[in-house]
Amino acid sequence: MANIVQRACFSIPEFEQRYEKFSKELQVRQYSPGSISAYCHKLSAICLHFRKLPESLTADDCRDYFSMLLSRSPSPGLSYFKHTVYSLRCYRKMMGLSSFTVPLPSIRKDKKFPIVLSQEEIRRLLSVTSSIRSKAIFSLIYSCGLRMSELINLRLYQIDNDRMQVFVHQGKGMYVVY
């Protein structure tokens, strides 16, 4: 258990039972270990802040907490905020609780343009690699736009040299052809 989870379990009567039930439910529904950890951590943080069980949090409590998070300096970051919102939504849904009368905030998506390297930048990147293997990996990642997890799970049979295609299974939850 993370430090904040331990503090919440110690400070709030019956929180440990809720935490264990929520954690097990996330595992059964096959959430990733990172998501389980993040959700439990953020749920513990908001409960510890108010010294209340998650069921006792009101819409006003949540609004105040979100406002406090967003006004912090330095800002906790969008990821921290999103996991806090998602953990509360998920907890309320999994535990069969009604949703708040005031809905939890939606998360705005940033409109970011991808960084595209010039041909010269690519040449320089590949020229500093020491082995053919490294050059092949960098070329594959960049030309196909692979995520690291997709590269790590890539197998040789998924590369079709005749068609010049790469088949990525379970790439961000889907089947992808590059």
Side-chain angles (χ1 to χ4, degrees):
M1 279 194 280
N3 190 19
I4 197 152
V5 175
Q6 289 174 334
R7 287 193 340 237
C9 289
F10 180 76
S11 302
I12 306 165
E14 300 179 28
F15 181 78
E16 189 170 4
Q17 295 169 326
R18 307 300 198 292
Y19 161 77
E20 287 176 4
K21 184 176 179 182
F22 183 52
S23 179
K24 286 177 185 175
E25 188 64 29
L26 291 169
Q27 288 173 349
V28 167
R29 294 189 188 198
Q30 299 180 358
Y31 279 67
S32 73
S35 293
I36 294 171
S37 175
Y39 281 17
C40 290
H41 181 270
K42 304 310 178 284
L43 185 70
S44 299
I46 190 170
C47 291
L48 189 58
H49 179 80
F50 290 105
R51 303 248 186 246
K52 292 182 178 181
L53 289 173
E55 296 85 342
S56 302
L57 295 171
T58 65
D60 287 337
D61 290 337
C62 293
R63 192 178 305 107
D64 291 345
Y65 189 75
F66 297 143
S67 176
M68 184 266 308
L69 280 182
L70 293 172
S71 65
R72 248 194 230 168
S73 182
S75 172
L78 184 60
S79 179
Y80 190 98
F81 182 74
K82 285 192 322 188
H83 278 110
T84 302
V85 173
Y86 294 159
S87 68
L88 284 168
R89 283 183 186 164
C90 190
Y91 182 86
R92 294 192 69 80
K93 182 177 178 185
M94 285 185 177
M95 299 305 172
L97 302 171
S98 61
S99 58
F100 289 126
T101 53
V102 175
L104 295 174
S106 60
I107 306 297
R108 286 191 199 155
K109 294 191 182 203
D110 290 340
K111 297 176 184 175
K112 292 190 272 184
F113 291 107
I115 297 171
V116 179
L117 300 177
S118 69
Q119 288 181 351
E120 181 55 34
E121 290 170 321
I122 296 293
R123 277 191 208 99
R124 278 188 281 160
L125 177 67
L126 294 176
S127 72
V128 296
T129 56
S130 57
S131 68
I132 297 288
R133 181 178 182 269
S134 297
K135 286 182 183 184
I137 289 171
F138 281 128
S139 297
L140 187 63
I141 289 172
Y142 189 73
S143 64
C144 295
L146 295 178
R147 294 174 176 88
M148 285 304 294
S149 62
E150 293 169 344
L151 175 72
I152 289 167
N153 295 315
L154 189 65
R155 301 292 172 250
L156 194 55
Y157 70 87
Q158 294 172 285
I159 300 173
D160 186 343
N161 290 332
D162 297 333
R163 295 183 183 155
M164 297 298 288
Q165 290 181 333
V166 177
F167 299 93
V168 179
H169 300 279
Q170 299 300 314
K172 206 59 168 164
M174 62 186 108
Y175 178 80
V176 183
V177 179
Y178 292 105

